[in-house]
Amino acid sequence: MQETKVVLPDREMPKQWYNIMADMPNLPKPPLHPGTKQPIGPQDLSPIFPMALIEQEVSTQRWIDIPDEVRNIYGLWRPSPLYRAHRLEAALGTPAKIYYKYEGVSPAGSHKPNTSIPQAFYNRQAGIRRIATETGAGQWGSAMALAGTMFGLEVTVYMVRVSYNQKPYRRIAMETWGATVQPSPSIITNSGKKILEMDPSSPGSLGIAISEAVEDAATHDDTNYALGSVLNHVLLHQTVIGIEAKKQFEMVGDYPDVIVGCCGGGSNLGGAAFPFLQDKINGKQLRVIAVEPTSCPTLTKGEFRYDFGDTAGLTPLMMMYTLGHDFMPPGIHAGGLRYHADSPLVCQLYHDKLIEAIAYGQTACFEAAITFAKSEGIIPAPESSHAIRGAIDEALRAKEEGKQKTIFFNLSGHGYLDLTAYADYLAGKLEDYAYPDEMIKEALKKLPVV
Amino acid sequence: MQETKVVLPDREMPKQWYNIMADMPNLPKPPLHPGTKQPIGPQDLSPIFPMALIEQEVSTQRWIDIPDEVRNIYGLWRPSPLYRAHRLEAALGTPAKIYYKYEGVSPAGSHKPNTSIPQAFYNRQAGIRRIATETGAGQWGSAMALAGTMFGLEVTVYMVRVSYNQKPYRRIAMETWGATVQPSPSIITNSGKKILEMDPSSPGSLGIAISEAVEDAATHDDTNYALGSVLNHVLLHQTVIGIEAKKQFEMVGDYPDVIVGCCGGGSNLGGAAFPFLQDKINGKQLRVIAVEPTSCPTLTKGEFRYDFGDTAGLTPLMMMYTLGHDFMPPGIHAGGLRYHADSPLVCQLYHDKLIEAIAYGQTACFEAAITFAKSEGIIPAPESSHAIRGAIDEALRAKEEGKQKTIFFNLSGHGYLDLTAYADYLAGKLEDYAYPDEMIKEALKKLPVV
């Protein structure tokens, strides 16, 4: 029988997360207070985060223990399988070996529960009763709703209005797990009201929804905020992906030459790649490629400077490649990749040339996704299709060059709840957007000077 | 760490299917030709099935080899995990141990690919170019579409019209894998045209869609028919579920006292239970419970007699518990359980009291599904929620009686593509249907006399 899955035994599930801050040649510049523009301290974050997560946010300790309570829930779907994509390789006729880690096996269908579960755990431990968070297409909101029910926390999700209306399935999933879902901008928060006054039919954006959730958490004592990407502790939690993958590569006696991940806020890419990047920092030959949409080309077209994480300017200023915090990306189907900036960790590593980046239009990504679905079976999330496009192009280049190469990508989630996007693609209705350079320049002019 | 998953190593994936016909105290009465009403022979089936499957249909050999080509594809998701439902047990406060096998890990999200894959393989091997089949809610059609792309077969799916209109997601999934989907009744076949003449707005039924697919296959030389349940060879293929589960129970040193499965055509119940039923036939203490909807109470209210498998009377007559082949079940959300009869194997075993049956209304099942989703994380398919209801009631009875008990159920699929049903349930919009006894009696009067 052909070996397709590399299954890590449950007892080998990681007991610690990997913190790349212990190994980075240059640490990201510190986040700044949105008002004073001075570096923030733990006390600035404590109104919305529990101290355990704040400590992880700033820690430079290389390995951080995963609590047993978290591992017990991880065990519902982890370790996730590493696949050798024999059938995709054959379909492409490539000499390259393609591996992918499949994170769609989680109950929420994506990699997001890797961090929602520990976030819920630490908040519960700190006596928090409710979590306020935001979601774009709904992957993060689903993951947080799932984590809430696992640890007995109420969850309020501010969901970008255009997704709330167009993608009812993930909203229903969140409600099935017991969460309350508010279309954003909402009239519940001041940030939401302000946006609606300016534009009553605002489709919303991730930046606006973050403002609403942060405000909700900051104004309720029993409520904290949770973020599904961008922050250091989020990427830390996601490293279970890469740590498992490294062990799985060891099991088959292989090692990637190239790692590909889609990049919105950076958490699935970071999670899959950081444990390998440790080796690269220590001299190993390895390429890491962040794939982003041409409609939201943060790394490939943004500027590396301080910007807010949200639209209203409530969050600390972070050093990121950004398109400007009021950037309003077109409504592509990969909702999870529509963030105006990227994780400071990914940005610093990109700046230091440890990570490369490439941007694709969505039709090229759906084409790759269908090639994948027809060969490997799994229908990928639109976000993940960007990683597949990148991996396929690497494999085709290996074919042209007649080179053996080992490609590893993270299949961050399945596309069951994004099938209307496939229908649009199959009907030829999808368009590509390349965000115009002039508009990016305009948006960047408005950035705060620090 | 708490042990939740029982993972069978890939090398332990079954090499043979288990054929319960080798062990049944009474074999089902033979299928009869729809015209002559005489027992059919292989030549009667050869216009629509490949000989390898016809041989499996009538074989009484206990173990039948699984071809390597099939095991290679099975390996994309099999062996599937067996879960100990610690968190559900805690939520119920039951002393019972609850285990479930999770078949939603297949790329189509249900147990159906366990048989669509070998069916595609044997058809391809026999030189067939195209498969015609039917689907209700779309689980079987998705599985056949997936299998088609894996073995390079064209697939045409006749999809019950009400599902085609109301549940576009599974249709899109089928199209993503490259299948053609026709709403049934269609104007492509004579069977479809006849129904539409009588009722131009017919919502369709599984029986009608089967007639259309059988007619399509019978009238095209390069096309065969494939059925997702009911037939002996289908249940044979599904026994990978129970064979794996038995090994997984051995791994944890346990054995079920009760096995629960939802029962539409009978394939997931049969697949999970038959390998254990072998032990029961040989004297082991064990209960097997088929759970069906009150709206389609085949085993609990039907009569055990010869009936057609389809509405138009094109299929052989089979000895089944039936509600009559023109039975039109109400549009409940568990579309996969809306079949007018059951697998002859399951029916014979029920008749011989080796299997019990119980019927539930859909609201009780959705209530159970939500309890499950909130404790175990996975959102179940509406069909599978019937098994959960049955298992939960067994666990609650164990609690009342203060008895230790080991309960095993098959979670046949996930509910990502059925979330609108959850929305209806959460909004209090779902109704229960108990199919009226008088209408069943009327329908049974019309059955063919043999």
Side-chain angles (χ1 to χ4, degrees):
Chain A
M1 202 188 114
Q2 203 174 36
E3 296 286 339
T4 48
K5 281 198 301 312
V6 187
V7 177
L8 193 67
D10 279 23
R11 62 175 183 281
E12 297 277 332
M13 195 167 75
K15 293 192 172 63
Q16 297 181 308
W17 293 298
Y18 167 65
N19 182 6
I20 199 166
M21 291 210 279
D23 293 305
M24 289 170 79
N26 299 297
L27 286 179
K29 286 193 188 173
L32 307 180
H33 190 283
T36 66
K37 295 180 182 159
Q38 294 303 307
I40 54 165
Q43 71 288 352
D44 294 309
L45 296 173
S46 64
I48 59 167
F49 291 116
M51 200 44 72
L53 290 176
I54 296 172
E55 281 167 14
Q56 290 180 359
E57 189 64 20
V58 298
S59 171
T60 53
Q61 193 184 317
R62 183 168 290 117
W63 295 99
I64 293 177
D65 288 346
I66 307 176
D68 277 349
E69 293 86 341
V70 170
R71 295 181 77 240
N72 281 344
I73 309 287
Y74 275 179
L76 291 175
W77 71 92
R78 305 211 70 85
S80 69
L82 178 76
Y83 280 94
R84 170 77 187 274
H86 289 294
R87 300 178 53 86
L88 177 62
E89 292 168 18
L92 300 174
T94 178
K97 290 188 274 183
I98 307 177
Y99 294 87
Y100 59 96
K101 182 90 169 155
Y102 183 40
E103 291 293 312
V105 291
S106 83
S110 79
H111 65 296
K112 295 287 187 188
N114 295 334
T115 182
S116 70
I117 297 295
Q119 289 194 48
F121 167 74
Y122 290 120
N123 273 292
R124 180 74 199 191
Q125 205 185 32
I128 289 297
R129 199 187 60 77
R130 189 171 73 99
I131 293 287
T133 193
E134 75 290 329
T135 200
Q139 285 195 339
W140 168 244
S142 311
M144 199 62 235
L146 171 72
T149 187
M150 291 286 158
F151 287 105
L153 286 167
E154 278 184 36
V155 175
T156 301
V157 181
Y158 294 87
M159 183 172 190
V160 175
R161 188 177 292 270
V162 61
S163 297
Y164 183 93
N165 291 334
Q166 285 175 5
K167 304 197 166 180
Y169 275 56
R170 282 218 178 82
R171 171 175 63 72
I172 302 166
M174 292 183 248
E175 290 169 349
T176 299
W177 284 308
T180 305
V181 187
Q182 297 288 352
S184 164
S186 78
I187 52 163
I188 296 173
T189 66
N190 288 326
S191 323
K193 276 186 237 167
K194 258 188 217 164
I195 300 280
L196 288 174
E197 274 164 27
M198 290 187 295
D199 177 8
S201 64
S202 167
S205 74
L206 217 43
I208 296 169
I210 295 176
S211 297
E212 292 207 272
V214 169
E215 183 186 325
D216 181 329
T219 53
H220 293 92
D221 272 351
D222 62 352
T223 303
N224 264 349
Y225 170 68
L227 189 63
S229 192
V230 180
L231 298 182
N232 302 349
H233 68 268
V234 175
L235 275 71
L236 173 78
H237 301 154
Q238 292 293 355
T239 60
V240 285
I241 303 171
I243 298 168
E244 286 179 8
K246 270 181 92 167
K247 291 189 191 181
Q248 287 161 316
F249 271 104
E250 265 173 41
M251 286 169 71
V252 292
D254 212 337
Y255 193 94
D257 297 300
V258 191
I259 298 177
V260 186
C262 60
C263 190
S267 78
N268 99 80
L269 171 73
F274 284 1
F276 293 92
L277 269 176
Q278 185 189 17
D279 299 341
K280 182 177 166 93
I281 292 167
N282 292 324
K284 184 115 185 165
Q285 195 71 12
L286 170 68
R287 290 172 59 212
V288 174
I289 306 174
V291 184
E292 54 185 23
T294 49
S295 57
C296 190
T298 340
L299 293 172
T300 50
K301 299 253 172 124
E303 278 187 22
F304 191 45
R305 50 193 285 193
Y306 273 109
D307 195 4
F308 297 108
D310 69 328
T311 302
L314 300 179
T315 73
L317 290 156
M318 290 174 289
M319 191 69 188
M320 307 183 287
Y321 281 85
T322 179
L323 301 168
H325 58 278
D326 56 1
F327 168 80
M328 185 69 78
I332 58 161
H333 282 287
L337 305 183
R338 293 171 75 239
Y339 188 60
H340 68 276
D342 269 304
S343 141
L345 289 177
V346 166
C347 290
Q348 185 65 49
L349 290 161
Y350 176 67
H351 189 69
D352 290 340
K353 304 201 185 323
L354 286 158
I355 295 180
E356 307 166 31
I358 188 169
Y360 286 108
Q362 63 180 350
T363 55
C365 296
F366 275 101
E367 187 205 9
I370 285 183
T371 302
F372 184 83
K374 285 191 171 172
S375 53
E376 295 291 316
I378 298 165
I379 299 178
E383 290 81 2
S384 317
S385 75
H386 288 71
I388 298 173
R389 178 76 266 167
I392 286 181
D393 281 4
E394 284 297 317
L396 293 176
R397 195 162 310 123
K399 181 181 178 181
E400 265 175 40
E401 297 170 357
K403 272 191 195 159
Q404 189 31 287
K405 195 194 291 187
T406 297
I407 301 165
F408 166 48
F409 72 91
N410 190 32
L411 187 64
S412 55
H414 63 63
Y416 289 126
L417 302 185
D418 306 280
L419 283 167
T420 52
Y422 282 87
D424 287 349
Y425 173 75
L426 291 169
K429 282 190 204 157
L430 280 197
E431 283 174 34
D432 283 328
Y433 306 90
Y435 206 76
D437 292 356
E438 318 80 74
M439 283 176 73
I440 295 173
K441 270 184 209 152
E442 276 309 305
L444 289 172
K445 276 186 199 158
K446 288 185 252 164
L447 284 202
V449 180
V450 294
Chain B
M1 203 189 114
Q2 202 174 38
E3 295 286 337
T4 49
K5 281 198 301 313
V6 187
V7 178
L8 194 67
D10 279 23
R11 63 176 182 280
E12 297 277 331
M13 195 167 74
K15 295 191 170 63
Q16 297 182 309
W17 293 298
Y18 168 64
N19 182 6
I20 198 166
M21 291 210 278
D23 294 304
M24 288 171 78
N26 299 297
L27 285 179
K29 286 194 187 172
L32 306 179
H33 190 281
T36 67
K37 297 186 180 155
Q38 294 303 307
I40 55 165
Q43 72 288 354
D44 294 308
L45 295 173
S46 64
I48 59 166
F49 291 116
M51 200 43 73
L53 290 176
I54 296 172
E55 280 166 14
Q56 291 180 358
E57 189 63 21
V58 298
S59 171
T60 53
Q61 193 185 315
R62 183 168 290 117
W63 295 100
I64 293 177
D65 288 345
I66 307 176
D68 277 348
E69 294 86 342
V70 170
R71 295 182 77 242
N72 281 343
I73 310 287
Y74 275 180
L76 291 175
W77 71 92
R78 304 210 71 84
S80 68
L82 178 75
Y83 281 95
R84 170 78 186 276
H86 289 294
R87 300 178 53 86
L88 176 62
E89 293 168 17
L92 301 174
T94 178
K97 289 188 274 183
I98 307 176
Y99 294 85
Y100 59 96
K101 182 90 168 154
Y102 183 40
E103 291 294 311
V105 291
S106 83
S110 80
H111 65 296
K112 295 286 185 188
N114 295 334
T115 182
S116 69
I117 296 295
Q119 289 193 49
F121 167 74
Y122 290 120
N123 274 293
R124 180 72 201 192
Q125 205 184 34
I128 289 296
R129 199 186 61 77
R130 189 171 74 101
I131 294 288
T133 193
E134 75 290 329
T135 200
Q139 286 196 337
W140 168 244
S142 311
M144 199 63 233
L146 171 72
T149 187
M150 292 285 159
F151 287 104
L153 287 166
E154 276 183 38
V155 175
T156 300
V157 182
Y158 294 87
M159 183 173 190
V160 175
R161 188 177 291 271
V162 61
S163 296
Y164 183 93
N165 291 333
Q166 285 175 6
K167 304 194 166 183
Y169 276 56
R170 282 218 178 81
R171 170 174 64 71
I172 302 167
M174 293 183 248
E175 290 169 351
T176 298
W177 283 308
T180 304
V181 187
Q182 296 289 352
S184 164
S186 79
I187 51 164
I188 296 173
T189 67
N190 289 326
S191 322
K193 276 187 235 164
K194 258 188 215 163
I195 300 280
L196 287 174
E197 274 163 26
M198 288 187 293
D199 176 8
S201 65
S202 167
S205 74
L206 215 44
I208 295 169
I210 295 176
S211 298
E212 291 208 90
V214 169
E215 182 186 324
D216 181 329
T219 53
H220 293 92
D221 273 352
D222 62 352
T223 303
N224 263 350
Y225 171 67
L227 188 62
S229 192
V230 179
L231 298 181
N232 302 349
H233 67 268
V234 176
L235 276 71
L236 173 77
H237 301 154
Q238 292 293 355
T239 59
V240 285
I241 303 171
I243 299 168
E244 286 179 6
K246 269 180 94 167
K247 291 190 192 181
Q248 287 162 316
F249 272 104
E250 265 173 43
M251 287 169 72
V252 293
D254 211 337
Y255 193 93
D257 298 300
V258 191
I259 298 177
V260 186
C262 60
C263 190
S267 78
N268 99 81
L269 171 74
F274 285 0
F276 293 92
L277 269 176
Q278 184 188 18
D279 298 340
K280 182 177 166 94
I281 291 167
N282 292 326
K284 183 114 185 167
Q285 194 72 14
L286 169 69
R287 291 172 59 212
V288 174
I289 305 174
V291 184
E292 54 186 23
T294 50
S295 56
C296 190
T298 339
L299 294 171
T300 50
K301 298 254 172 123
E303 277 188 23
F304 191 45
R305 49 193 285 193
Y306 272 109
D307 195 3
F308 297 108
D310 69 327
T311 303
L314 299 179
T315 74
L317 290 155
M318 290 174 287
M319 191 69 186
M320 306 183 286
Y321 282 86
T322 178
L323 301 168
H325 58 278
D326 56 1
F327 167 80
M328 186 67 79
I332 58 161
H333 282 286
L337 305 183
R338 292 170 75 237
Y339 187 61
H340 68 276
D342 270 303
S343 140
L345 289 176
V346 167
C347 291
Q348 186 65 48
L349 291 161
Y350 176 68
H351 190 68
D352 290 340
K353 304 202 187 319
L354 286 158
I355 293 179
E356 308 165 30
I358 188 168
Y360 286 109
Q362 63 181 350
T363 55
C365 296
F366 274 102
E367 187 204 8
I370 286 185
T371 301
F372 183 83
K374 285 190 172 174
S375 53
E376 294 292 316
I378 298 164
I379 298 178
E383 290 82 1
S384 317
S385 75
H386 288 71
I388 298 173
R389 177 78 267 167
I392 285 181
D393 281 5
E394 283 298 317
L396 292 176
R397 196 164 307 122
K399 181 181 176 180
E400 266 174 39
E401 297 169 355
K403 270 191 198 160
Q404 190 29 289
K405 195 194 288 187
T406 297
I407 301 165
F408 166 47
F409 72 91
N410 190 31
L411 187 64
S412 55
H414 63 64
Y416 289 124
L417 303 186
D418 306 280
L419 282 168
T420 52
Y422 281 87
D424 287 350
Y425 173 75
L426 290 170
K429 284 189 204 157
L430 280 196
E431 284 174 35
D432 282 329
Y433 307 89
Y435 206 77
D437 291 357
E438 317 80 76
M439 283 176 70
I440 295 173
K441 271 185 208 151
E442 275 310 305
L444 289 172
K445 275 186 197 159
K446 289 185 252 166
L447 284 203
V449 181
V450 295

